Every structure is written in C-alpha cells, then in structure tokens.
C-alpha cells in the first residue's frame, strides 16, 4: 500500500522518489525519513539535490560531521542519498562517492537471573507477566509480542513463529519449556477472562 509523504503540492522529482519507494514497498518510516534526509542536502546546497556534484556531497558530509550529527544518523542519510542518486535520478556515480562511517556497536545490557525474576514478579497482571516473559525469554520486540497468536506457538519443535517482525520479515524464535508452560497457563486464564 503506498503511503503519502506530504499533503502539499509535490514536485516531479519528489513524486519520482515516492514512486520508487512505493514500488519497492518501503516502510512508512523509510518513506518519511528518505525525503527528509534528501531535503537536508537540498537545504545545504540551496538548490535541487539532483544538481549535486561530487564535491558538494563531500562538503555536505564534512559539514554533517562537523555539526556533530551522530554516526547512525549520518549513515541513514547516506542510505537515503544512495537510493536517491541510484534509483530516482540515475546517477550511480554520485552514490558511490558517499561514505558510510564505521559505527562501533555496544553490547546490550543483559539482566541477571535475579533482575529478570524481580522484573517479572513486579507485574500485577498475569497477562503482562506472560508478555514480558515472551519478550525477554524469546527475544521478541514489543510489536512482535503483541501480534502473537496461538497458531504461532509450535510446541512440537519448541518454536515461536514471528510474522512480520522488523522489516516485515518472518522468523522463528526459540521457545523454552518454562515459557511454553507459562503461555499455556495464560491461554487458560485468558479464555476464562475473555481476553
């Protein structure tokens, strides 16, 4: 389903960008971010972004870095501009000149068994405890937990089927025996409560 980016009159160049994103079924967030990021270049140039030169792109990236734009944001802008120059205006030579920055990734904080137990015991609702347990125990995101269905639980293979996870992808998550028992308990309670 195509997502409108703006309600204001749209230039032919912006419409071409929107059409290219719609053809590739980009997410709503990407369809919001790419025009914004390309707009940053246009603002920097003071003219249409399709008139950019290699030197313009180099100066733009240097200014972004000097302004303290975080590395993930800069890389996101590079992705938007690469898409724009490759697919919207057919100038892949410029896309190749854009530089992605190395971004050291930090390990996530992992809770201890006691911390996880305290977190789960702090819930007052069995439904919330089950949701938190699935999120933490199977490594699911909030949106993935909220869309789980009974049919997504494969107790034979001990898997949870995640439909349309991040990026619209399907995947499987491991299901422990304890988590399966908790889900079965919640299913019984939920049916009694009409949830």
């Amino acid at each position: 389903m195509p997502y409108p980016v703006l309600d204001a009159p749209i230039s032919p160049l912006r419409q071409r960008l929107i059409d290219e994103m719609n053809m590739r079924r980009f997410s709503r967030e990407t369809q919001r971010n790419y025009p914004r990021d390309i707009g940053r270049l246009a603002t920097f140039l003071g003219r249409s972004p399709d008139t950019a030169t290699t030197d313009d792109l180099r100066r733009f990236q240097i200014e972004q870095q000097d302004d303290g734009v975080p590395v993930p944001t800069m890389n996101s802008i590079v992705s938007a501009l690469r898409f724009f120059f490759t697919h919207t205006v057919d100038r892949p030579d410029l896309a190749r000149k854009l530089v992605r920055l190395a971004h050291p990734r930090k390990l996530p904080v992992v809770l201890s068994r006691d911390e996880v137990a305290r977190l789960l015991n702090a819930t007052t609702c069995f439904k919330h405890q089950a949701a938190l347990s699935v999120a933490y125990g199977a490594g699911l995101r909030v949106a993935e937990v909220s869309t789980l269905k009974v049919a997504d639980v494969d107790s034979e293979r001990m898997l949870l089927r995640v439909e349309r996870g991040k990026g619209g992808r399907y995947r499987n998550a491991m299901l422990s025996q304890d988590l399966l028992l908790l889900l079965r308990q919640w299913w019984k309670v939920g049916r009694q409560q009409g949830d």
Side-chain angles (χ1 to χ4, degrees):
M1 173 176 135
Y3 303 110
V5 176
L6 290 175
D7 292 334
I10 298 175
S11 73
L13 184 60
R14 180 181 284 259
Q15 186 59 55
R16 201 169 23 192
L17 171 65
I18 292 168
D19 292 343
E20 291 292 337
M21 291 188 296
N22 282 335
M23 280 193 312
R24 288 165 178 79
R25 297 184 176 186
F26 281 8
S27 71
R28 182 182 304 261
E29 186 176 347
T30 301
Q31 291 202 30
R32 181 188 46 137
N33 292 344
Y34 275 22
R36 180 199 63 210
D37 293 340
I38 294 162
R40 285 182 186 215
L41 175 63
T43 301
F44 170 79
L45 295 173
R47 62 184 194 273
S48 180
D50 63 335
T51 63
T53 64
T54 302
D55 189 52
D56 291 332
L57 295 179
R58 190 177 134 296
R59 288 185 302 109
F60 173 69
Q61 285 200 276
I62 290 170
E63 181 179 283
Q64 295 289 298
Q65 194 168 16
D66 290 346
D67 287 348
V69 175
V71 172
T73 304
M74 289 177 65
N75 286 339
S76 177
I77 294 168
V78 167
S79 294
L81 292 175
R82 282 183 177 173
F83 179 82
F84 175 74
F85 287 118
T86 302
H87 300 287
T88 306
V89 295
D90 195 23
R91 292 185 63 195
D93 55 306
L94 284 180
R96 288 190 295 271
K97 299 296 182 184
L98 292 160
V99 178
R100 289 185 66 82
L101 301 175
H103 180 328
R105 297 187 184 242
K106 297 178 183 175
L107 288 174
V109 175
V110 178
L111 300 177
S112 69
R113 284 180 165 244
D114 291 338
E115 290 171 324
V116 172
R118 282 200 323 256
L119 174 70
L120 296 176
N121 291 332
T123 60
T124 57
C125 174
F126 191 60
K127 178 180 183 178
H128 297 158
Q129 184 180 18
L132 282 172
S133 296
V134 170
Y136 196 79
L140 270 59
R141 295 172 175 87
V142 173
E144 294 170 342
V145 172
S146 67
T147 58
L148 276 179
K149 300 177 290 299
V150 173
D152 296 332
V153 178
D154 184 346
S155 58
E156 283 184 25
R157 296 187 314 162
M158 297 303 287
L159 295 173
L160 286 173
R161 178 163 169 77
V162 179
E163 294 183 1
R164 305 217 185 262
K166 185 175 181 180
R169 293 183 181 92
Y170 291 80
R171 66 185 176 94
N172 290 319
M174 298 301 292
L175 177 64
S176 70
Q177 190 64 41
D178 292 339
L179 195 51
L180 178 61
L181 292 174
L182 180 67
L183 288 173
R184 284 179 173 162
Q185 288 174 334
W186 164 242
W187 183 77
K188 289 176 186 173
V189 170
R191 284 190 61 178
Q192 291 171 354
Q193 295 175 352
D195 285 344

